Amino acid sequence: MNYLSGVIFFSVSSGVLVGCKQRQEKPSAKPPNILFVINDDQSYVHTSFVGSRMVCTPGFDRVAANGVYFTNCYAGSPGSAPSRSALVTGRHHWQNKQSGQHASSWMKEFVPFVDILKANGYHTGFTGKGVDPFRYARNEEDSLWRKQNAAGRAYNKHRYTKDGPLDSRTADGIGLVDYYANFLDFMQQRETGQPFYFWYGSTEPHRAYEKGSWKRNGKELALADVPDFLPDTEEIRGDMLDYAVEIEWADSHLYKMLNHLDSIGELDNTIVIVTADNGMPFPRAKANCFEYGAHVPLAICYPKGFTGHRRVNDPVSFVDIAPTILEMVGAKSDGMLPFSGRSIVNILRSEKEGLVDETRKYVFMGRERHSSSRWKNLGYPQRAIHSREYLFIWNMKPERWPAGAPQAINEETGRICPMYGIDEKGIHHPEWAFTDVDAAPSKSFLIENYKVPAIRPYFDLAYQKRPEYELYDAGNDPFCLHNLAGDANYKDVEEELKNVLQKELERSGDPRIVGPDKEIFETYIRYSPIRLFPEPDRKK
C-alpha cells in the first residue's frame, strides 16, 4: 500500500522544513496504536489545510494530507460535555441521561470505548481536557457514578510555570498543562510492545484569550477570517486572530507528538484522529446547531490501514467514532449500551473520494442546556438534522432566549441587571446577560453597539429569539443567514427532514419526544456554578 509518511510544510514555531518520501509497507498483525486529538471550540474552516489564512496548522495538515479528510463531520452537540458524551459512547447525548448534559454526573452505566480498549490490553490515558465538564465520583456515596474520567487515566502532572524559564506559551490565556511532556510521560509508562490509546484534549482555543495576543504573534488584521454573521470590524478581527493564536498552540503539541511517534517508528502503525468538540466560542457559533457551532474538522490517518490523500464528503457524526475505533482494533462493544452511530471503516478502507457510502444521507445533533443562562437553569432544547445539502433545526422552546436571558440578577445587590447587561455608562458586563455566549470582545461589541443601524442585524442574529423551525441550504449558505423554513419552494425538503428527524428521535428514545417525562433534562443537577435570573414574563 502506497502512502506518504509526511508532507512538505513549514512550521512557524520551529522554522524547519519537514520532507517526505514514498514507502511500501506490508500490513502488520501488530495491533494499531491510537492518538485521538480533540481541540476545545474550533470550527471546521479554521485550519490551514482548508485554506484559512489566519492559522498555520502543520500538525493537522500532515494528518489530513496523508489520511482522509472529512469535509462534513458534525459533533453530537454544539457544546463540549454532550458532544464528548456522544463521541465516547456512540450514542446521541439525549440517550445518555445526565451523562449527556453539561456539568452533570457521569453514571457507570454509560461505558466509554476507552474501557473496551483497556480490557483488550491497551495502555490508555489522556492529557488536558478529558470527557468534561462532568462530575465523577467523589466518594463511596456516589456509588452509581464513574470514578475515572471517561477518557481514561489523567496525565497532567507536567505543567508550565507562569513566566518561568520553560514557559513557551504564546498567549496568557493558554492553559498551563504541557501536553507534549505529559504524552512523553504516558509513552514511557507503557510496557514494551504494548499498543496504546492516548486522548490529547487541548483546552485551546476555549476562552478566555489574551486580548491582542495576535500582535506579538506576527499576525495581521487583514488576514482574519470574519464569518458573515459577525460585522467586519477591527474589534472582531482582533478577536478572531486571538482565537487563531490558540489554535496554533494546540496544533504545535500535535506536531511534536507526530514527530516523536515518527522518531520511534510508531507513527505508521498509529491511527491518528484529529477533531474538535464544537465550534468557535463566538456569538451565533458555539452552543448553536448552526454550521459554525457543530460542523467541526476531522482528519484520520493510518498509513498501514488505509489509503490516504483523500477528501470524503459523506456526512459523518461523533456517534460514529466509537464503533469505528472498536472495529479498527478488532474489539467487541460488550458492556457498552447500543450504538446510534455506525462505523466508517468501510469509507476509510475505500480508495474513493467525494461521496463514498450512498447509504449515509443524514447526521443528527442537539442541545439542552449549555451554561447556566436562564431562570431555574432552564436550557434551550434543540434537535437538528443535516443532510448532504441542508440543515434543519427544531427549536423546541422558541419562547426562550437562545443565547440566554437578556437580564441576570446581580448576586451582590439582589437587583435585576439592566437590559442586555449594559450599565449606565454604556459598558457591557458579560455575566449580566446572554451567558450562553462566552465572555468575549465580540460579544460585548455587538451588545454595546446594538443601536447602531449597521450593527443591529448582527445583534439580532446572535441574541434575539428564533422561530421554532429553521432550514438552511448549508452548502450555499454556510453562515446560516437565510432561513428557508416555510418557503413553498423548499416544502418537500423541509417535510423530508422533519420526518427523518422525528423518526430518529423516536427510534433513539428521546425523552423530549417519547416521554414519559418530557422535561427530565431540566431536572438533572448541574454541579458548575448557578447564576440567578428573574422569572420570565409569560405574557411576552
Side-chain angles (χ1 to χ4, degrees):
M1 184 178 296
N2 292 324
Y3 67 94
L4 291 176
S5 63
V7 295
I8 299 177
F9 56 78
F10 181 74
S11 167
V12 173
S13 60
S14 65
V16 178
L17 282 172
V18 179
C20 61
K21 61 181 179 179
Q22 198 88 3
R23 302 181 194 170
Q24 186 78 19
E25 294 282 359
K26 295 181 180 180
S28 172
K30 182 181 178 182
N33 307 308
I34 303 169
L35 173 61
F36 188 88
V37 182
I38 182 166
N39 288 351
D40 199 355
D41 299 359
Q42 179 181 350
S43 294
Y44 71 110
V45 292
H46 296 134
T47 65
S48 48
F49 180 79
V50 298
S52 175
R53 301 178 304 164
M54 70 181 188
V55 295
C56 181
T57 53
F60 180 88
D61 296 359
R62 182 176 186 179
V63 176
N66 296 319
V68 180
Y69 175 74
F70 289 84
T71 63
N72 288 304
C73 175
Y74 291 84
S77 174
S80 60
S83 177
R84 291 167 189 250
S85 171
L87 193 156
V88 299
T89 64
R91 297 162 56 82
H92 301 307
H93 73 86
W94 55 80
Q95 295 180 286
N96 290 346
K97 301 178 182 177
Q98 59 267 62
S99 302
Q101 305 309 310
H102 196 275
S104 196
S105 53
W106 192 283
M107 311 302 285
K108 289 180 179 178
E109 64 181 298
F110 300 105
V111 176
F113 67 76
V114 66
D115 289 6
I116 307 301
L117 295 177
K118 185 175 181 180
N120 278 269
Y122 274 73
H123 176 49
T124 62
F126 80 95
T127 191
K129 183 175 181 177
V131 181
D132 291 296
F134 287 103
R135 179 65 64 88
Y136 294 91
R138 300 158 294 187
N139 50 50
E140 294 304 318
E141 293 182 3
D142 298 329
S143 59
L144 299 179
W145 297 13
R146 180 182 176 87
K147 291 183 179 180
Q148 191 178 73
N149 193 289
R153 175 186 167 187
Y155 286 80
N156 283 325
K157 72 176 183 180
H158 296 285
R159 302 171 66 86
Y160 297 102
T161 301
K162 184 174 174 58
D163 298 326
L166 300 179
D167 186 0
S168 58
R169 295 175 305 139
T170 54
D172 287 343
I174 290 171
L176 293 173
V177 176
D178 186 338
Y179 309 120
Y180 178 62
N182 287 306
F183 172 65
L184 295 181
D185 183 19
F186 166 84
M187 293 294 290
Q188 290 168 359
Q189 294 191 36
R190 72 170 179 150
E191 297 179 5
T192 302
Q194 183 181 17
F196 69 82
Y197 167 79
F198 189 72
W199 168 296
Y200 161 33
S202 169
T203 57
E204 290 76 37
H206 194 290
R207 293 188 186 271
Y209 306 149
E210 176 196 340
K211 187 174 182 179
S213 61
W214 61 271
K215 297 177 183 178
R216 58 189 178 89
N217 280 276
K219 296 193 175 296
E220 300 177 9
L221 283 178
L223 298 181
D225 299 323
V226 179
D228 285 0
F229 53 82
L230 293 173
D232 191 351
T233 68
E234 287 192 9
E235 185 79 356
I236 303 297
R237 283 181 171 269
D239 205 13
M240 292 293 299
L241 293 178
D242 290 341
Y243 157 76
V245 167
E246 296 217 353
I247 292 175
E248 291 181 346
W249 174 258
D251 187 81
S252 71
H253 284 259
L254 166 61
Y255 178 82
K256 290 187 287 187
M257 291 176 190
L258 295 175
N259 284 343
H260 176 73
L261 291 175
D262 207 4
S263 71
I264 62 174
E266 291 281 12
L267 185 58
D268 290 347
N269 194 47
T270 300
I271 301 165
V272 183
I273 304 173
V274 190
T275 188
D277 60 359
N278 52 255
M280 65 182 197
F282 285 75
R284 201 175 166 83
K286 177 182 176 181
N288 293 275
C289 286
F290 301 127
E291 286 289 287
Y292 275 66
H295 193 170
V296 294
L298 176 64
I300 305 178
C301 184
Y302 179 26
K304 288 189 176 181
F306 51 80
T307 302
H309 316 293
R310 292 185 290 134
R311 292 191 183 215
V312 168
N313 299 330
D314 298 58
V316 297
S317 167
F318 270 19
V319 296
D320 300 326
I321 299 295
T324 298
I325 287 177
L326 294 187
E327 182 177 351
M328 282 197 288
V329 304
K332 295 182 179 180
S333 61
D334 295 350
M336 298 182 71
L337 292 173
F339 295 142
S340 284
R342 56 193 177 103
S343 171
I344 59 173
V345 168
N346 65 316
I347 296 175
L348 295 172
R349 289 179 177 164
S350 169
E351 296 185 355
K352 296 180 180 178
E353 293 190 88
L355 293 174
V356 178
D357 185 345
E358 291 295 329
T359 67
R360 286 188 170 271
K361 297 181 178 180
Y362 312 102
V363 291
F364 306 90
M365 66 207 85
R367 66 163 284 190
E368 283 292 329
R369 67 185 181 216
H370 182 64
S371 180
S372 171
S373 299
R374 295 166 195 84
W375 180 67
K376 289 190 174 181
N377 195 36
L378 295 177
Y380 189 76
Q382 293 180 309
R383 300 293 184 266
I385 177 174
H386 208 300
S387 69
R388 293 171 181 170
E389 298 175 296
Y390 295 96
L391 168 64
F392 176 77
I393 301 172
W394 180 9
N395 299 312
M396 295 177 158
K397 301 286 185 180
E399 69 277 8
R400 297 179 186 173
W401 295 86
Q407 294 172 285
I409 293 177
N410 189 313
E411 296 187 26
E412 294 181 2
T413 65
R415 297 177 180 176
I416 298 176
C417 297
M419 197 65 172
Y420 305 152
I422 303 173
D423 67 18
E424 66 278 2
K425 296 181 181 179
I427 304 299
H428 172 249
H429 297 256
E431 296 301 307
W432 287 6
F434 301 132
T435 53
D436 263 349
V437 181
D438 293 350
S442 295
K443 173 182 180 178
S444 294
F445 179 85
L446 295 185
I447 295 173
E448 291 175 356
N449 294 280
Y450 82 96
K451 292 183 180 179
V452 177
I455 303 300
R456 183 59 189 244
Y458 301 102
F459 171 88
D460 290 344
L461 285 170
Y463 303 118
Q464 293 290 16
K465 293 181 179 180
R466 298 171 187 161
E468 183 175 5
Y469 301 115
E470 297 178 82
L471 174 66
Y472 299 98
D473 181 353
N476 295 311
D477 181 19
F479 307 114
C480 299
L481 299 177
H482 307 290
N483 184 10
L484 304 174
D487 187 325
N489 295 320
Y490 296 89
K491 180 180 178 181
D492 292 345
V493 172
E494 183 175 354
E495 289 184 353
E496 173 195 346
L497 296 182
K498 276 184 181 178
N499 290 335
V500 175
L501 177 60
Q502 180 75 21
K503 290 179 180 178
E504 178 63 15
L505 298 179
E506 292 174 354
R507 184 208 65 78
S508 60
D510 185 349
R512 288 282 182 192
I513 302 302
V514 302
D517 183 357
K518 295 185 177 182
E519 304 299 321
I520 194 169
F521 295 113
E522 312 291 10
T523 69
Y524 294 131
I525 297 175
R526 174 186 174 87
Y527 292 95
S528 294
I530 299 290
R531 301 183 182 95
L532 300 177
F533 295 90
E535 182 176 1
D537 186 347
R538 302 300 181 185
K539 296 180 181 180
K540 294 183 180 180

